[in-house]
Amino acid sequence: MIGKLTGKLDALVEGGCIFDVNGVGYLLSCSTKTLDRLRDVQGQAAMLVETQVRQDAIVLVGFGSAAERDTFRKLTSVQGVGTKLALDILSAFAPEDLAEAVRRADRAGLRQANGVGAKLADRLVTELRDWAGGIQPPSGIAAGPATAAPPPGAAADAVSALINLGWKRPEAQAAVNRAQSRLGEEVALEALIRDSLKELAR
């Protein structure tokens, strides 16, 4: 299974792009938000990948952040949401904006995403409520005292990665904070995760 690729944007195609890794072109399905970020990158970029093995094909889905990948996984757990529809939703909403729409039960807002009708908007509000409660609100929206939202940028992705490895959010958050204070704000994601794991092992 492919979980990550490092390379550069080669070409845009319908629903995604061709991502060049050392001369090998990988066809990735992506949200438009991820494609927009790729266009802005000078040189190489890292892409997280979800590998989907189907009866008739192997599909690679590319993400610009762990938050987007994790949201994609959650969306595809909802009845009636497949790969294309999940990417359409992620093209319309950043993960934190989607969570805010779910928290506010903004069904009309959710229906702005291509392919989301009234019934699916209802399911998203119902089935994603618990997930949305643990996502950082968008900038400018005050969080309640229990949200303990992760910091932006690489730190947020590092916290998400540690949670996926089985650590609880407060432990992951504290380890990432300590690692980032030592390594600096501009530390690469891989180095931040590696150092945070060392903090957790102490």
Side-chain angles (χ1 to χ4, degrees), residues 18-33:
I18 296 175
F19 196 66
D20 187 309
V21 180
N22 296 325
V24 178
Y26 291 85
L27 179 61
L28 302 180
S29 297
C30 305
S31 71
T32 57
K33 291 185 182 298

PDB file of all heavy atoms in Angstrom, residues 18-33:
ATOM      1  N   ILE A  18      -1.455  14.237 -12.129  1.00  0.00           N
ATOM      2  CA  ILE A  18      -0.363  13.275 -12.247  1.00  0.00           C
ATOM      3  C   ILE A  18       0.782  13.821 -11.410  1.00  0.00           C
ATOM      4  O   ILE A  18       1.228  14.955 -11.614  1.00  0.00           O
ATOM      5  CB  ILE A  18       0.059  13.078 -13.708  1.00  0.00           C
ATOM      6  CG1 ILE A  18      -1.093  12.458 -14.509  1.00  0.00           C
ATOM      7  CG2 ILE A  18       1.302  12.191 -13.802  1.00  0.00           C
ATOM      8  CD1 ILE A  18      -0.826  12.332 -15.990  1.00  0.00           C
ATOM      9  N   PHE A  19       1.238  13.031 -10.459  1.00  0.00           N
ATOM     10  CA  PHE A  19       2.267  13.440  -9.502  1.00  0.00           C
ATOM     11  C   PHE A  19       3.545  12.698  -9.842  1.00  0.00           C
ATOM     12  O   PHE A  19       3.600  11.472  -9.800  1.00  0.00           O
ATOM     13  CB  PHE A  19       1.793  13.110  -8.083  1.00  0.00           C
ATOM     14  CG  PHE A  19       2.557  13.800  -6.998  1.00  0.00           C
ATOM     15  CD1 PHE A  19       2.508  15.168  -6.859  1.00  0.00           C
ATOM     16  CD2 PHE A  19       3.313  13.067  -6.089  1.00  0.00           C
ATOM     17  CE1 PHE A  19       3.189  15.818  -5.831  1.00  0.00           C
ATOM     18  CE2 PHE A  19       4.001  13.697  -5.066  1.00  0.00           C
ATOM     19  CZ  PHE A  19       3.944  15.078  -4.940  1.00  0.00           C
ATOM     20  N   ASP A  20       4.571  13.445 -10.231  1.00  0.00           N
ATOM     21  CA  ASP A  20       5.824  12.866 -10.700  1.00  0.00           C
ATOM     22  C   ASP A  20       6.762  12.577  -9.531  1.00  0.00           C
ATOM     23  O   ASP A  20       7.160  13.472  -8.793  1.00  0.00           O
ATOM     24  CB  ASP A  20       6.501  13.838 -11.667  1.00  0.00           C
ATOM     25  CG  ASP A  20       7.740  13.237 -12.334  1.00  0.00           C
ATOM     26  OD1 ASP A  20       8.607  12.709 -11.609  1.00  0.00           O
ATOM     27  OD2 ASP A  20       7.846  13.308 -13.557  1.00  0.00           O
ATOM     28  N   VAL A  21       7.115  11.302  -9.361  1.00  0.00           N
ATOM     29  CA  VAL A  21       8.072  10.886  -8.323  1.00  0.00           C
ATOM     30  C   VAL A  21       9.249  10.213  -9.033  1.00  0.00           C
ATOM     31  O   VAL A  21       9.132   9.079  -9.506  1.00  0.00           O
ATOM     32  CB  VAL A  21       7.431   9.926  -7.309  1.00  0.00           C
ATOM     33  CG1 VAL A  21       8.447   9.516  -6.248  1.00  0.00           C
ATOM     34  CG2 VAL A  21       6.215  10.569  -6.653  1.00  0.00           C
ATOM     35  N   ASN A  22      10.346  10.934  -9.166  1.00  0.00           N
ATOM     36  CA  ASN A  22      11.547  10.398  -9.816  1.00  0.00           C
ATOM     37  C   ASN A  22      11.259   9.826 -11.205  1.00  0.00           C
ATOM     38  O   ASN A  22      11.749   8.751 -11.568  1.00  0.00           O
ATOM     39  CB  ASN A  22      12.198   9.326  -8.937  1.00  0.00           C
ATOM     40  CG  ASN A  22      12.700   9.893  -7.626  1.00  0.00           C
ATOM     41  OD1 ASN A  22      13.158  11.032  -7.561  1.00  0.00           O
ATOM     42  ND2 ASN A  22      12.580   9.110  -6.563  1.00  0.00           N
ATOM     43  N   GLY A  23      10.456  10.530 -11.965  1.00  0.00           N
ATOM     44  CA  GLY A  23      10.161  10.120 -13.335  1.00  0.00           C
ATOM     45  C   GLY A  23       8.995   9.170 -13.485  1.00  0.00           C
ATOM     46  O   GLY A  23       8.604   8.847 -14.613  1.00  0.00           O
ATOM     47  N   VAL A  24       8.396   8.727 -12.382  1.00  0.00           N
ATOM     48  CA  VAL A  24       7.210   7.869 -12.432  1.00  0.00           C
ATOM     49  C   VAL A  24       5.988   8.713 -12.112  1.00  0.00           C
ATOM     50  O   VAL A  24       5.945   9.385 -11.072  1.00  0.00           O
ATOM     51  CB  VAL A  24       7.318   6.704 -11.426  1.00  0.00           C
ATOM     52  CG1 VAL A  24       6.052   5.847 -11.468  1.00  0.00           C
ATOM     53  CG2 VAL A  24       8.544   5.854 -11.732  1.00  0.00           C
ATOM     54  N   GLY A  25       5.015   8.705 -12.992  1.00  0.00           N
ATOM     55  CA  GLY A  25       3.817   9.512 -12.802  1.00  0.00           C
ATOM     56  C   GLY A  25       2.714   8.734 -12.116  1.00  0.00           C
ATOM     57  O   GLY A  25       2.244   7.722 -12.639  1.00  0.00           O
ATOM     58  N   TYR A  26       2.309   9.183 -10.949  1.00  0.00           N
ATOM     59  CA  TYR A  26       1.210   8.557 -10.211  1.00  0.00           C
ATOM     60  C   TYR A  26      -0.063   9.370 -10.434  1.00  0.00           C
ATOM     61  O   TYR A  26      -0.069  10.592 -10.254  1.00  0.00           O
ATOM     62  CB  TYR A  26       1.521   8.501  -8.710  1.00  0.00           C
ATOM     63  CG  TYR A  26       2.636   7.544  -8.349  1.00  0.00           C
ATOM     64  CD1 TYR A  26       3.967   7.951  -8.407  1.00  0.00           C
ATOM     65  CD2 TYR A  26       2.356   6.236  -7.959  1.00  0.00           C
ATOM     66  CE1 TYR A  26       4.997   7.065  -8.086  1.00  0.00           C
ATOM     67  CE2 TYR A  26       3.369   5.355  -7.628  1.00  0.00           C
ATOM     68  CZ  TYR A  26       4.687   5.777  -7.695  1.00  0.00           C
ATOM     69  OH  TYR A  26       5.694   4.908  -7.374  1.00  0.00           O
ATOM     70  N   LEU A  27      -1.142   8.692 -10.808  1.00  0.00           N
ATOM     71  CA  LEU A  27      -2.423   9.351 -11.002  1.00  0.00           C
ATOM     72  C   LEU A  27      -3.133   9.429  -9.652  1.00  0.00           C
ATOM     73  O   LEU A  27      -3.480   8.405  -9.062  1.00  0.00           O
ATOM     74  CB  LEU A  27      -3.275   8.567 -12.000  1.00  0.00           C
ATOM     75  CG  LEU A  27      -4.671   9.130 -12.296  1.00  0.00           C
ATOM     76  CD1 LEU A  27      -4.573  10.529 -12.893  1.00  0.00           C
ATOM     77  CD2 LEU A  27      -5.426   8.189 -13.240  1.00  0.00           C
ATOM     78  N   LEU A  28      -3.296  10.651  -9.150  1.00  0.00           N
ATOM     79  CA  LEU A  28      -3.915  10.859  -7.847  1.00  0.00           C
ATOM     80  C   LEU A  28      -5.244  11.580  -8.000  1.00  0.00           C
ATOM     81  O   LEU A  28      -5.335  12.581  -8.719  1.00  0.00           O
ATOM     82  CB  LEU A  28      -3.011  11.703  -6.945  1.00  0.00           C
ATOM     83  CG  LEU A  28      -1.594  11.198  -6.657  1.00  0.00           C
ATOM     84  CD1 LEU A  28      -0.874  12.185  -5.745  1.00  0.00           C
ATOM     85  CD2 LEU A  28      -1.638   9.818  -6.018  1.00  0.00           C
ATOM     86  N   SER A  29      -6.266  11.078  -7.331  1.00  0.00           N
ATOM     87  CA  SER A  29      -7.515  11.827  -7.197  1.00  0.00           C
ATOM     88  C   SER A  29      -7.337  12.788  -6.031  1.00  0.00           C
ATOM     89  O   SER A  29      -6.832  12.397  -4.978  1.00  0.00           O
ATOM     90  CB  SER A  29      -8.686  10.872  -6.923  1.00  0.00           C
ATOM     91  OG  SER A  29      -8.876   9.990  -8.000  1.00  0.00           O
ATOM     92  N   CYS A  30      -7.730  14.053  -6.202  1.00  0.00           N
ATOM     93  CA  CYS A  30      -7.497  15.067  -5.167  1.00  0.00           C
ATOM     94  C   CYS A  30      -8.661  16.053  -5.128  1.00  0.00           C
ATOM     95  O   CYS A  30      -9.393  16.234  -6.101  1.00  0.00           O
ATOM     96  CB  CYS A  30      -6.226  15.865  -5.449  1.00  0.00           C
ATOM     97  SG  CYS A  30      -4.722  14.927  -5.677  1.00  0.00           S
ATOM     98  N   SER A  31      -8.786  16.725  -3.994  1.00  0.00           N
ATOM     99  CA  SER A  31      -9.710  17.852  -3.899  1.00  0.00           C
ATOM    100  C   SER A  31      -9.104  19.046  -4.627  1.00  0.00           C
ATOM    101  O   SER A  31      -7.885  19.120  -4.841  1.00  0.00           O
ATOM    102  CB  SER A  31      -9.966  18.211  -2.434  1.00  0.00           C
ATOM    103  OG  SER A  31      -8.814  18.814  -1.854  1.00  0.00           O
ATOM    104  N   THR A  32      -9.947  19.991  -4.989  1.00  0.00           N
ATOM    105  CA  THR A  32      -9.432  21.187  -5.652  1.00  0.00           C
ATOM    106  C   THR A  32      -8.566  22.007  -4.699  1.00  0.00           C
ATOM    107  O   THR A  32      -7.644  22.705  -5.143  1.00  0.00           O
ATOM    108  CB  THR A  32     -10.580  22.059  -6.185  1.00  0.00           C
ATOM    109  OG1 THR A  32     -11.462  22.413  -5.103  1.00  0.00           O
ATOM    110  CG2 THR A  32     -11.373  21.319  -7.260  1.00  0.00           C
ATOM    111  N   LYS A  33      -8.835  21.945  -3.403  1.00  0.00           N
ATOM    112  CA  LYS A  33      -8.017  22.680  -2.440  1.00  0.00           C
ATOM    113  C   LYS A  33      -6.583  22.126  -2.418  1.00  0.00           C
ATOM    114  O   LYS A  33      -5.610  22.882  -2.344  1.00  0.00           O
ATOM    115  CB  LYS A  33      -8.644  22.628  -1.046  1.00  0.00           C
ATOM    116  CG  LYS A  33      -9.942  23.417  -0.925  1.00  0.00           C
ATOM    117  CD  LYS A  33     -10.445  23.442   0.497  1.00  0.00           C
ATOM    118  CE  LYS A  33     -11.762  24.181   0.593  1.00  0.00           C
ATOM    119  NZ  LYS A  33     -11.669  25.594   0.200  1.00  0.00           N
TER     120      LYS A  33
END
